Amino acid sequence: MAKSKEVEINKDGTIRGLSNTAVQMIAFGGSIGTGLFLGAGSTIHRTGPSILFVYLIIGLFFFLMMRAIGEMMYADPEQHTFVSFIGKYVNPRLGYFAAWSYWLELILAGMAELTAISTYVKYWFPGVPAWLIQVFFLLVLTIVNLAMVSSFGKSETFLSGIKILAIIALIGLGIYLVSTSHRNPSGTTASWGNIFNHFSMFPNGLHQFINAFPMVFFAFQGMEFVGITTAETKQPLKVLPRAVNQIIGRILLFYIGSLLIIMAITPWNTLNPNESPFVQIFKLAGLPAASQIINLVVIAAACSTLNSAIFSTGRHLYQLAEESSAKSMGFFTKVSKNGIPIVSVLFSAGMMILAPIISSFNSLSTAFAFIASVSSDIYILVCILTMVAHYRYRQSADFKLNGFKMPQYRWSNPLTIAFFIAIFVSLFFNQTSIWPAIGALAWGLGFNALLSYRHKRVEIAEED
């Protein structure tokens, strides 16, 4: 197949076809999803205006993690996933654990988004079976992922663009309502004073403030997708630093900007935590089609996350196969003429087809919800190991003095690790999150114990 002179082909046959815009949109796609459009009302209800501090603090630590990932990817831009550095710089066994756990977490996330998509589509077409909707969207997005990598980038740019337009529309509308002192049907007036009047850091208690941290933490999940696109990004040494430095500011702008506007238009304690704050604000503005518009946006948001999940799981499985000595894993290293790890993508997408089956049985749905929660908690452990890998990288011979360095890593790296540990520990003090947290801990200990046992068996066999 003829390639353009502008296209750079890696040694393994994959193609660098993602632009800076596509990379940023992929990160937007992963980290700005239904959590903002549907779940922001719940977090505002917990802590009031102080939720802004929660987003700001977590955004800062995610930026530090992104700088750590960016520094390692800059030093070795041919890696298909940032998780591979855990095995390289921390411990091969922990790297194996992190890679498979993160792959599984993304599979479950993709399945959850499929279930969400069918729910949102049935809002308009209640008679269409959920399984048929799920199969259709999975098939379409898998085909997109099997085309040129640039096709994936364009699709993600389009889907993320819908979300960004919705947020910009909300911010623009909010500024207009505040500047005109719009009087809401409930009798309140849009004003910046709604944010600061009778401000309390812990309006519902310190416990609720602390519980908001893990909720917001998971809202930022997906930003690390930048560390999965590097091997297929054009001019990675130029694009990577720019993408990492720009994306955190823009995400914070959209998140904090949205929350500021929402709480300025109407007092935070008048919001319904069980309804999308975007729908509520558009209704206050007199837009009758608010529910329809936001339904379209959340479908785009869910499709965007699913699209990124298919891409990311395919690259993770491909990287695992490349690093594995098992002959059976060699099957997953096949790269298509278009530069796509085709078998890894198809297998990962095929795993997500379990979603329609699970959603058909209530008992399975309950079990899936628990497993998905456990998997999300494991993500925190992967973040901790990633930061440990970065610290070890800085001590290694691979460290590039003129690279894209994480600022003040000697204190910022340990501080980030401590913060992530604190987030994980906080899960054990919440009745709804304690069992998934225990499950995540059990999975980590059990997985590593099994690997250790297998390693000893191999050593004994070799001695004999």
Side-chain angles (χ1 to χ4, degrees):
M1 182 178 176
K3 307 286 182 190
S4 167
K5 291 181 180 179
E6 296 180 359
V7 174
E8 182 182 348
I9 304 175
N10 294 319
K11 294 177 183 178
D12 60 4
T14 54
I15 294 173
R16 295 190 178 277
L18 294 174
S19 64
N20 175 53
T21 301
V23 170
Q24 294 212 37
M25 287 298 193
I26 289 165
F28 279 132
S31 54
I32 296 183
T34 54
L36 173 63
F37 295 106
L38 298 179
S42 177
T43 54
I44 292 172
H45 182 73
R46 285 175 179 267
T47 64
S50 61
I51 193 66
L52 299 172
F53 294 108
V54 178
Y55 273 92
L56 193 60
I57 292 167
I58 292 180
L60 173 63
F61 281 107
F62 260 87
F63 171 69
L64 291 174
M65 184 178 76
M66 287 308 304
R67 284 298 300 261
I69 291 174
E71 180 174 1
M72 292 187 289
M73 296 302 295
Y74 189 91
D76 189 1
E78 293 197 6
Q79 295 292 333
H80 285 273
T81 167
F82 66 93
V83 179
S84 62
F85 295 112
I86 296 172
K88 186 175 182 179
Y89 296 115
V90 182
N91 180 286
R93 190 166 68 238
L94 286 175
Y96 195 68
F97 156 75
W100 278 112
S101 297
Y102 189 69
W103 178 80
L104 178 63
E105 192 273 330
L106 291 177
I107 291 291
L108 292 169
M111 291 169 63
E113 294 302 332
L114 265 179
T115 304
I117 288 170
S118 63
T119 302
Y120 305 142
V121 172
K122 282 177 74 67
Y123 177 81
W124 287 323
F125 305 101
V128 180
W131 69 266
L132 184 61
I133 297 169
Q134 293 173 17
V135 170
F136 173 76
F137 276 89
L138 182 61
L139 183 62
V140 169
L141 292 177
T142 300
I143 291 171
V144 168
N145 270 270
L146 291 176
M148 297 287 290
V149 69
S150 57
S151 299
F152 163 74
K154 290 174 182 175
S155 67
E156 196 55 38
T157 299
F158 172 74
L159 292 170
S160 293
I162 293 175
K163 294 185 289 186
I164 291 171
L165 283 174
I167 295 171
I168 292 173
L170 175 80
I171 293 174
L173 175 65
I175 292 173
Y176 169 76
L177 294 178
V178 171
S179 63
T180 57
S181 299
H182 178 267
R183 190 163 181 80
N184 302 317
S186 60
T188 60
T189 302
S191 167
W192 298 117
N194 288 331
I195 302 171
F196 305 106
N197 286 346
H198 310 293
F199 177 82
S200 174
M201 194 70 178
F202 314 117
N204 293 315
L206 178 62
H207 184 66
Q208 290 288 1
F209 181 77
I210 293 174
N211 286 342
F213 275 87
M215 292 179 66
V216 174
F217 181 91
F218 294 126
F220 277 86
Q221 185 177 352
M223 191 187 298
E224 76 284 351
F225 285 169
V226 170
I228 303 172
T229 61
T230 306
E232 294 167 81
T233 299
K234 300 174 184 177
Q235 299 179 301
L237 300 186
K238 179 181 178 182
V239 169
L240 183 64
R242 188 189 310 166
V244 169
N245 283 333
Q246 290 178 352
I247 191 148
I248 184 65
R250 293 182 182 181
I251 286 179
L252 282 175
L253 172 65
F254 287 130
Y255 266 120
I256 293 180
S258 299
L259 297 176
L260 273 171
I261 288 298
I262 288 168
M263 290 184 288
I265 293 174
T266 186
W268 68 272
N269 52 6
T270 64
L271 287 168
N272 181 355
N274 300 316
E275 185 180 7
S276 164
F278 279 68
V279 171
Q280 294 179 66
I281 295 306
F282 284 138
K283 282 182 178 178
L284 288 176
L287 190 63
S291 298
Q292 307 283 344
I293 294 170
I294 297 304
N295 196 59
L296 174 63
V297 172
V298 294
I299 289 174
C303 284
S304 173
T305 305
L306 175 61
N307 198 27
S308 292
I310 295 171
F311 177 91
S312 302
T313 50
R315 272 59 183 182
H316 263 84
L317 186 57
Y318 174 76
Q319 185 83 37
L320 277 163
E322 282 280 289
E323 296 174 354
S324 176
S325 57
K327 290 183 179 179
S328 58
M329 290 295 288
F331 178 67
F332 295 105
T333 61
K334 179 176 175 57
V335 176
S336 69
K337 293 180 180 179
N338 290 337
I340 306 296
I342 184 170
V343 177
S344 294
V345 170
L346 281 172
F347 182 82
S348 298
M351 291 292 292
M352 295 178 195
I353 204 69
L354 291 170
I357 300 172
I358 290 172
S359 62
S360 300
F361 301 92
N362 289 332
S363 57
L364 285 178
S365 297
T366 303
F368 170 72
F370 175 75
I371 293 171
S373 297
V374 170
S375 184
S376 294
D377 293 347
I378 291 171
Y379 171 74
I380 304 176
L381 301 179
V382 173
C383 291
I384 293 169
L385 289 172
T386 299
M387 295 307 299
V388 174
H390 171 262
Y391 198 90
R392 293 282 184 86
Y393 157 76
R394 274 297 189 103
Q395 314 300 317
S396 74
D398 295 337
F399 169 57
K400 286 189 174 183
L401 189 62
N402 60 343
F404 177 50
K405 293 186 291 185
M406 178 186 182
Q408 304 297 323
Y409 92 98
R410 289 193 181 278
W411 63 265
S412 60
N413 183 297
L415 186 62
T416 304
I417 292 173
F419 179 74
F420 288 164
I421 291 174
I423 291 287
F424 189 79
V425 170
S426 72
L427 299 172
F428 291 89
F429 296 93
N430 188 314
Q431 193 173 2
T432 58
S433 63
I434 183 171
W435 288 111
I438 291 172
L441 205 57
W443 166 264
L445 294 173
F447 192 100
N448 282 280
L450 179 62
L451 288 179
S452 180
Y453 173 74
R454 287 182 59 188
H455 181 69
K456 288 179 180 178
R457 288 284 300 271
V458 170
E459 285 184 339
I460 293 171
E462 288 177 349
E463 288 176 2
D464 293 341

